[in-house]
Amino acid sequence: MGFVYRIASPTEYLAITGYNINDVKLAKKAWIAPSQRCACFDISLVNYTFEVQAMNAEKLPFVLPAVFTIGPRANDEECLLRYAKLISPHNKLSHHVNELVKGMIEDETRVLAASMTMEQIFHGAKSFKHAVFESVQLELD
């Protein structure tokens, strides 16, 4: 069996490992040698929707609906490489990835909500959302 030429679709990248590659090589198109492995992974964004149960500083429980759109930064090669290693081996809509993302978002929301009163959360809803987004983004990075 000889070399194979592979081309990724516009929303995909090729992750190539094996002969003459130290870690993982990312490409949109490549010649794949017989001693190399090539996997195609999708970089399109995925929406995660769920409800976060948390308590504020006054120990009052509340439920916060959350929708996060998550995907790699297509212009950042280091980010794409991490995405290829951690997420692409799994189906993005699988239970494993969903639980991982949900756990991360719930943790960051609970930590932030625990330091605020109910009044601060709802009067400053925009700043609360922004703070949660920044915390989650830091975790995802």
Side-chain angles (χ1 to χ4, degrees):
M1 198 163 121
F3 284 82
V4 177
Y5 191 68
R6 297 274 313 260
I7 302 173
S9 73
T11 62
E12 295 178 334
Y13 270 88
L14 302 175
I16 307 161
T17 59
Y19 177 71
N20 210 21
I21 298 173
N22 291 334
D23 192 17
V24 176
K25 177 184 170 187
L26 297 178
K28 291 297 269 178
K29 55 188 175 184
W31 284 100
I32 310 301
S35 57
Q36 293 176 336
R37 292 187 61 197
C38 179
C40 215
F41 68 96
D42 190 5
I43 62 166
S44 57
L45 302 175
V46 177
N47 288 330
Y48 295 95
T49 305
F50 45 87
E51 293 182 341
V52 178
Q53 296 180 8
M55 283 188 156
N56 66 357
E58 302 157 331
K59 304 287 187 241
L60 295 172
F62 66 97
V63 176
L64 184 71
V67 177
F68 279 82
T69 302
I70 297 177
R73 291 188 192 110
N75 56 354
D76 184 356
E77 190 169 332
E78 184 180 325
C79 185
L80 283 170
L81 193 58
R82 269 188 271 136
Y83 191 81
K85 290 178 182 179
L86 299 173
I87 302 296
S88 70
H90 307 283
N91 178 355
K92 289 191 290 187
L93 301 174
S94 73
H95 181 71
H96 171 73
V97 174
N98 193 31
E99 288 300 311
L100 183 71
V101 171
K102 183 179 176 183
M104 192 182 330
I105 293 169
E106 281 182 342
D107 288 348
E108 294 302 321
T109 304
R110 286 183 180 140
V111 166
L112 192 59
S115 65
M116 301 173 79
T117 65
M118 196 62 80
E119 187 175 319
Q120 289 172 325
I121 292 170
F122 290 108
H123 284 322
K126 208 170 210 176
S127 62
F128 179 72
K129 282 185 203 176
H130 183 70
V132 169
F133 173 77
E134 290 297 320
S135 297
V136 169
Q137 187 61 49
L138 189 62
E139 279 294 313
L140 289 172
D141 285 348

